[in-house]
Amino acid sequence: MRGDQLGHSAVKLEHIRFTNSCAPLLGISRSWRAMALKTLCREYSICLDSESDRTITEFTLWPAPMKHEHSGFYCLVNEITISTTSKNVFNGKAAKQLSSLNCADESFNSAKVLKVMLNDCLNDELSDVPVATSHVKIFVALVKRLMPRVTTVKIEYEGEAEDQESVSCRAFERLLSGLYSGSDTRELTLVNCGLILPAVSNTMLSLTKIETIWDTSFDETIELIRMNAATLKTLEIACAQPTKLVKLLESRGGSNGSDYLTYPNMHTLHLSSGNITRYKCKPFNREYIPFPRLEQLSLDLVYPFSDNVLFRGNTKTLKYLHMAADPTTIHLLSRYNTFEREKLKSLRHVKVDVSYVNGISDATTAELVVGFVMKLAHRAQTLEIEGQIPKDALLNAISLADHCKYLQLLVVNDLCLSLSEILTVVEAAPALSDLYCRSLGISDDLKHLSMDQLVNHLELKYKHVGKNFKCWKLWHNQNTIVESAATCAMLLACICPKFTYNVVTSSVRAKYNNSIRKMLDTLPFSKHKVALERLLFVGWDE
């Protein structure tokens, strides 16, 4: 196997979770074995079952038939997940289970990430605070001894709300403080209604990430966020009522200008909601800048504010933007010149959702939405469009001037493009290497040509096109003609010198490969058979 193939495979190994198909790699060579082991052994899980007192440990990524313990691989572990219940920790059972493990005397010296998953409902209070906290202390000490070099601690809790004065809440507070101590990155995920928020909402934990669902526990959630505003780097909120999001920007004092909250270290903000109702809140003071260092902004909801407050002060730092492109939001942000070309110069990754737009087929609306998308994509390296966007308006906009000269990845999974339209996109975006879309096959105006004539025609018309184009990911539906899509892939490979991968899903992979094999033995493709055979190495399971 060539060195460049090995290098490419190494990248794939780092990004794909292996199943049973990984096992043969361990026996190919020493290099393959070392590479496979590094991936397969990077995650280790410890489940401390409170019901049966059983303890289950495993290398999480090992193929099912091969799961086994091997202390010689502990040095390869990068992340450990411990699953148990809060009650199991508080009554001392978790500490006993942990100390009895085969690996208890070993140190996972390479492990940098600790993830603790606490899944329970604490309906009964513990009667003895000192005993509960003593068990917490022993459990934390055992975890620290097991993983002496942890720098990142992620805690996920799923359960019911507790009385703020209950023993379990106070013990939980000590558990979090103990596990987080000494770590640089501190992440907390809270799942389901009230949870354990009263235990942490008034505790200074110096969290760097909070991920939570905002529902009936609104008051405790906002207090938790406010307490950690100075250290938060990532905030992810699923909110049932977007009207409450304004509270993110207000301190306890209310909505006066002097009482606004600032997140000086926030680089990732993700807000989502299933509620598409638009809420008109009062505009904020024009001098107020809540997120001065924001790098990633994901708004999986209708824009929830009445001004450009989320985009203030971060035009030089914002690199990723995901938002809905509905006319009301476009008009609102246009009043503040938010997306003029001289602004947002660092924006490189754009995802736009047009599914919120009513009447997008209307020419005026289509022009407004597509124009907005092109403004966002002016300097973008990746552009993803969700929902049905008018194809003609988009292709016309892409073809104009230098709208997409930096674009390397275009994702339009709901758009059906013919071969000519694909080449139009590739021609307009000289840096494009990856395109995700559906296939219409060869356009009608070219179907009268033989394959020889078609190749000659396309080579002449698109002689200097697609020098960087490498991958076409084909999204298909019941209307996709696989044989026609395979023909398009072969033609693209003849025209674009670097085109290597046509990725298809497993459900059509066999049919696609059969089409490729048949064409490889026919002119004009047989002349390029060695180069075109690479198209057979396609696809992954969706």
Side-chain angles (χ1 to χ4, degrees):
M1 182 169 286
R2 298 198 317 267
D4 60 336
Q5 290 177 313
L6 185 63
H8 176 74
S9 298
V11 173
K12 289 292 183 183
L13 276 171
E14 286 301 315
H15 290 87
I16 299 175
R17 285 178 175 263
F18 288 102
T19 54
N20 298 337
S21 61
C22 176
L25 297 178
L26 298 171
I28 292 178
S29 68
R30 186 173 296 179
S31 298
W32 271 108
R33 179 177 173 79
M35 186 168 53
L37 283 174
K38 186 176 180 180
T39 298
L40 292 174
C41 297
R42 71 173 180 234
E43 295 180 17
Y44 189 78
S45 70
I46 301 172
C47 178
L48 309 176
D49 194 323
S50 60
E51 296 290 331
S52 63
D53 293 339
R54 290 179 63 228
T55 301
I56 303 170
T57 62
E58 64 180 13
F59 288 96
T60 314
L61 301 181
W62 272 96
M66 298 179 61
K67 289 188 182 294
H68 67 286
E69 286 295 307
H70 196 311
S71 59
F73 297 154
Y74 291 160
C75 61
L76 299 175
V77 174
N78 179 68
E79 178 175 339
I80 294 181
T81 299
I82 299 176
S83 303
T84 187
T85 65
S86 301
K87 184 177 180 180
N88 210 31
V89 175
F90 301 155
N91 62 23
K93 191 181 293 183
K96 290 179 181 178
Q97 289 174 295
L98 200 57
S99 62
S100 65
L101 291 178
N102 292 332
C103 62
D105 295 327
E106 300 280 345
S107 287
F108 291 81
N109 287 318
S110 297
K112 303 295 183 184
V113 180
L114 167 64
K115 183 176 182 180
V116 179
M117 301 180 68
L118 302 168
N119 304 295
D120 58 350
C121 174
L122 292 169
N123 291 319
D124 54 327
E125 289 190 7
L126 303 173
S127 58
D128 195 324
V129 179
V131 170
T133 53
S134 174
H135 290 318
V136 167
K137 186 176 180 179
I138 294 170
F139 176 77
V140 169
L142 287 169
V143 172
K144 298 287 185 181
R145 189 177 73 182
L146 195 66
M147 305 175 62
R149 297 181 181 177
V150 164
T151 57
T152 298
V153 176
K154 305 175 182 181
I155 299 176
E156 180 177 314
Y157 182 87
E158 181 173 0
E160 299 292 333
E162 292 295 317
D163 175 16
Q164 191 168 2
E165 297 304 318
S166 71
V167 175
S168 55
C169 262
R170 281 176 279 169
F172 188 82
E173 178 186 334
R174 286 163 175 78
L175 176 61
L176 263 61
S177 299
L179 291 172
Y180 282 133
S181 66
S183 60
D184 301 321
T185 303
R186 306 176 178 194
E187 303 182 4
L188 179 62
T189 299
L190 300 174
V191 184
N192 288 343
C193 57
L195 311 163
I196 205 78
L197 275 169
V200 295
S201 59
N202 291 301
T203 304
M204 183 59 71
L205 295 172
S206 299
L207 297 173
T208 56
K209 178 180 178 179
I210 295 175
E211 181 178 356
T212 186
I213 297 173
W214 215 345
D215 44 35
T216 56
S217 57
F218 169 75
D219 292 335
E220 291 88 355
T221 303
I222 191 60
E223 286 307 313
L224 173 66
I225 294 170
R226 285 168 176 162
M227 286 292 292
N228 294 277
T231 56
L232 275 177
K233 295 182 180 180
T234 302
L235 179 60
E236 299 183 14
I237 297 176
C239 186
Q241 300 178 39
T243 56
K244 292 184 176 182
L245 288 173
V246 68
K247 296 293 183 180
L248 274 178
L249 308 183
E250 297 175 356
S251 65
R252 288 188 179 90
S255 57
N256 296 322
S258 60
D259 294 319
Y260 291 148
L261 203 58
T262 299
Y263 299 82
N265 294 299
M266 183 84 74
H267 62 66
T268 301
L269 177 63
H270 182 191
L271 307 177
S272 63
S273 177
N275 190 332
I276 62 173
T277 304
R278 187 174 295 278
Y279 169 69
K280 290 187 177 181
C281 62
K282 290 174 59 178
F284 291 89
N285 186 312
R286 284 182 174 269
E287 282 70 48
Y288 171 48
I289 300 176
F291 305 106
R293 295 184 181 179
L294 199 63
E295 296 180 7
Q296 299 184 45
L297 176 60
S298 182
L299 302 174
D300 199 6
L301 73 176
V302 174
Y303 187 74
F305 299 105
S306 297
D307 56 18
N308 66 337
V309 66
L310 293 183
F311 298 96
R312 294 178 186 171
N314 48 46
T315 56
K316 293 182 180 180
T317 60
L318 195 63
K319 299 175 182 177
Y320 172 89
L321 175 61
H322 170 205
M323 66 179 297
D326 62 278
T328 303
T329 298
I330 294 172
H331 288 308
L332 168 66
L333 296 176
S334 295
R335 290 203 301 269
Y336 295 91
N337 298 317
T338 304
F339 301 118
E340 294 306 310
R341 285 198 170 193
E342 69 275 9
K343 297 184 178 181
L344 297 176
K345 293 182 178 180
S346 297
L347 189 60
R348 294 293 180 267
H349 308 283
V350 176
K351 183 177 180 180
V352 182
D353 188 351
V354 300
S355 62
Y356 292 88
V357 182
N358 293 321
I360 195 170
S361 57
D362 172 74
T364 303
T365 303
E367 183 180 354
L368 174 70
V369 173
V370 170
F372 177 72
V373 172
M374 288 298 104
K375 273 188 177 182
L376 292 179
H378 174 57
R379 294 176 180 271
Q381 294 173 351
T382 67
L383 172 62
E384 180 175 355
I385 302 175
E386 288 186 322
Q388 293 283 351
I389 192 165
K391 181 169 67 174
D392 291 342
L394 180 64
L395 292 178
N396 289 337
I398 287 176
S399 301
L400 293 176
D402 59 350
H403 276 162
C404 299
K405 67 179 181 180
Y406 302 106
L407 197 63
Q408 298 173 19
L409 167 65
L410 175 62
V411 180
V412 281
N413 292 329
D414 293 315
L415 215 57
C416 291
L417 299 181
S418 68
L419 176 63
S420 298
E421 289 167 338
I422 290 173
L423 287 168
T424 296
V425 172
V426 173
E427 184 176 27
L432 191 72
S433 64
D434 295 73
L435 173 65
Y436 297 3
C437 67
R438 300 183 188 275
S439 173
L440 276 181
I442 298 171
S443 51
D444 292 338
D445 61 321
L446 298 177
K447 286 183 178 179
H448 68 283
L449 299 175
S450 68
M451 279 300 161
D452 260 326
Q453 292 173 325
L454 188 53
V455 170
N456 291 334
H457 168 76
L458 294 175
E459 284 180 339
L460 183 63
K461 185 175 181 179
Y462 299 102
K463 185 175 182 179
H464 302 292
V465 169
K467 292 184 178 180
N468 294 296
F469 189 47
K470 298 177 182 177
C471 177
W472 174 32
K473 186 170 184 180
L474 173 64
W475 289 82
H476 68 92
N477 55 23
Q478 65 273 16
N479 298 319
T480 302
I481 302 174
V482 176
E483 295 86 351
S484 180
T487 303
C488 288
M490 295 286 277
L491 291 167
L492 286 170
C494 290
I495 300 160
C496 305
K498 291 187 179 179
F499 187 76
T500 309
Y501 305 105
N502 182 206
V503 183
V504 298
T505 54
S506 58
S507 59
V508 299
R509 188 179 306 155
K511 193 173 184 180
Y512 169 89
N513 277 356
N514 287 336
S515 298
I516 294 289
R517 289 190 181 97
K518 288 179 182 178
M519 286 185 285
L520 285 174
D521 293 323
T522 63
L523 290 173
F525 303 121
S526 58
K527 294 185 294 186
H528 311 283
K529 184 172 183 178
V530 175
L532 295 178
E533 279 181 332
R534 61 195 174 188
L535 292 175
L536 294 171
F537 298 93
V538 297
W540 52 69
D541 293 334
E542 292 299 319

